[in-house]
Amino acid sequence: MIMDIRNTPIPVKRALRKLGEDLRNARKRRRIPMQLAAERASISRATLNKIEKGNEGVSLGAYARILFILGMIGRLADLMDSTVDALGMELEAENLPKRIRIPRKEKGR
């Protein structure tokens, strides 16, 4: 499937750009040169450059590899943790049953 980046919502573009900048800053704080970071992540330097610019065409796997070499892969693993999904928890609570009934065959036991 060919990705059409013209249809990417602006908030998505902004989030990716910020993620790329944050990854670049984290790499620099650790004093890891771009070439070494790319080698450790098994990606090309050009791909790392795209990541740090927030390019949406780069695979999530490449982003994950950079997070790993920066020692931050846990952040990705916790990204959609249900305990921080306030909207999801609220929607789930709305669908909880009002009453819970014991099936008839279990009542007699």
Side-chain angles (χ1 to χ4, degrees):
M1 179 169 71
I2 297 174
M3 184 176 6
D4 184 2
I5 61 174
R6 293 172 295 180
N7 294 330
T8 303
I10 291 173
V12 172
K13 289 181 181 183
R14 285 186 188 137
L16 285 171
R17 195 173 315 121
K18 181 181 182 321
L19 175 60
E21 289 171 5
D22 291 345
L23 289 171
R24 179 185 314 112
N25 291 336
R27 177 183 58 77
K28 287 181 176 182
R29 282 192 300 273
R30 287 161 178 75
R31 309 284 194 266
I32 302 172
M34 199 171 202
Q35 185 62 39
L36 181 59
E39 286 173 12
R40 287 181 179 173
S42 300
I43 60 175
S44 69
R45 188 167 179 214
T47 299
L48 178 55
N49 189 42
K50 289 177 182 180
I51 288 171
E52 291 185 352
K53 289 183 177 182
N55 184 304
E56 63 193 80
V58 178
S59 75
L60 180 58
Y63 277 92
R65 288 174 179 193
I66 292 298
L67 285 166
F68 176 74
I69 67 142
L70 295 174
M72 303 175 77
I73 194 62
R75 304 278 303 271
L76 179 61
D78 293 337
L79 186 63
M80 289 305 301
D81 187 334
S82 63
T83 60
V84 295
D85 183 9
L87 176 59
M89 297 297 276
E90 187 177 316
L91 292 170
E92 186 175 299
E94 289 177 5
N95 290 322
L96 290 177
K98 302 293 182 215
R99 271 176 69 177
I100 299 175
R101 299 178 188 195
I102 299 173
R104 289 183 184 237
K105 50 186 154 180
E106 288 185 26
K107 281 185 181 179
R109 288 186 182 177

